[in-house]
Amino acid sequence: MSDKNNYDNIDELLSSILNDSKQAEAQNVATEQAADISKTSVMSTAVHIDDEIDTDNVSGQTNVFNFGTFQSQHGHTAVASDEEVNQEAPVRKSEKSRKKKKKKRRRRNYTAYGGIVLATFVLCASILISLFIIVVIRDVLGIEDNDNEFTIYIEEGSSTWDIADQLYDEGVIQYKEVFIAIARIKGVDGNMYPGDLDVAYNMSYADIIDDLMEARESKETVTITFIEGITLYEAAQLLENNGVCDADEFIYTFNSTVFGYDYEQYVSSESLKLYKYEGFLFPDTYEFYVGDTAYNVAKKIRERTDEILTSDVIARAEEIGYSLEEVVILASIVQKEAGSVDDMASVASVFINRLNNPEQYPRLQSDATTAYIDNIITQVMTVSSDSMCDAYDTYTCLGLPVGAICNPGEDAINAVLYADETDYYYFCTDPETGVAYFATTYEEHVANCELLGIM
């Protein structure tokens, strides 16, 4: 039904309610007036006629009484006595009663307002239902601006419900029951092929079902492992070298696309950052399709990152006084600086102690940040940017650098979230064994460096 028809029906309903209300009021008024007339007639019969009236002249005649005055059909008129004049009091009472009843009648007019409220409610409900239908139809028909394609794998033995759940989880469809109903109407419920399925957010439900009815060959895949501490630039080169997707396209898509994960809202868009989402490529082993789209690859990686940066991690970061991004930035430094997982919590304590004592230790002085500038920033930037280099150099900037310097693993992230409580402000690492030596004062630190022969 169109919105115009909805409006016409509502107008008719409103008019009907108002007319019924007016008719009811008219009947009430007529009833009350009849009752008043009846009372007046009864009171008039109680009028007393003076004894001096000539009864002979009026004998056998019909008498008409009018508010205390006697009049025969012959034209004789008699004046009512004082007792008869007093009969006007009940009339005045009747008028007061009628005035009171009129007030009650005005209160009854609220039924009309009730009709208006009901009509308004019906109108709002109709609009909401219409909007819901429009939203459902848009999704079913694939009316969507996002035309990014990616591939999902339908496992052998998947039922229509299983496929609907998978498509829903991937964000391809929003209404599983509608998808299943269309599959049944098309007579393909339970008869869909497994294998790799290319989908897009703007595909209609019918098109998806048609593709599922075609036998599909499995695409070639490749397994890639991103080690802890890998940079986004290095990861992109690894993807391109294995034939997954173009490196530049991946870097652009990874940093410019918002996939709707909760952790994304905590990532800043600082202009001095080299890469916005450096630090948010979770190091792990992935299986990618050869010749896949950069969007599909970026989505898979960012989805895995979302499994690590959960609401509990975000809450813990706030508990220790940091934002999620600050935790990731600091974890990236810990990932590069610590020689082993066992030392990460103590290494994290050194940087946290410095951050908590900015007057005495305004700079973190991490060699790992200067290495990122030399090996990544200067290699990527076609035009030198001193401002960007200074924003990453912890020997120059105050506190944390502007962005992460690598992609930390889960151990480094937890080391920051649950750092050791120490009084360390310095550390150095044995280049041969990777063992860290910690110090509270600069003098102790110099002694440790001399012991390791690195100073």
Side-chain angles (χ1 to χ4, degrees), residues 365-395:
Q365 297 182 329
S366 168
D367 293 338
T369 59
T370 58
Y372 184 76
I373 295 171
D374 296 337
N375 300 329
I376 302 298
I377 295 179
T378 58
Q379 300 299 318
V380 172
M381 298 294 293
T382 56
V383 178
S384 177
S385 175
D386 293 337
S387 297
M388 179 177 290
C389 292
D390 290 343
Y392 277 94
D393 189 356
T394 54
Y395 282 93

Side-chain angles (χ1 to χ4, degrees), residues 235-264:
Q237 297 301 318
L238 197 56
L239 289 168
E240 183 173 279
N241 293 339
N242 284 272
V244 176
C245 64
D246 180 76
D248 292 338
E249 186 178 351
F250 168 75
I251 289 177
Y252 173 79
T253 303
F254 193 84
N255 288 286
S256 63
T257 306
V258 175
F259 293 94
Y261 299 118
D262 290 342
Y263 69 84
E264 294 175 342

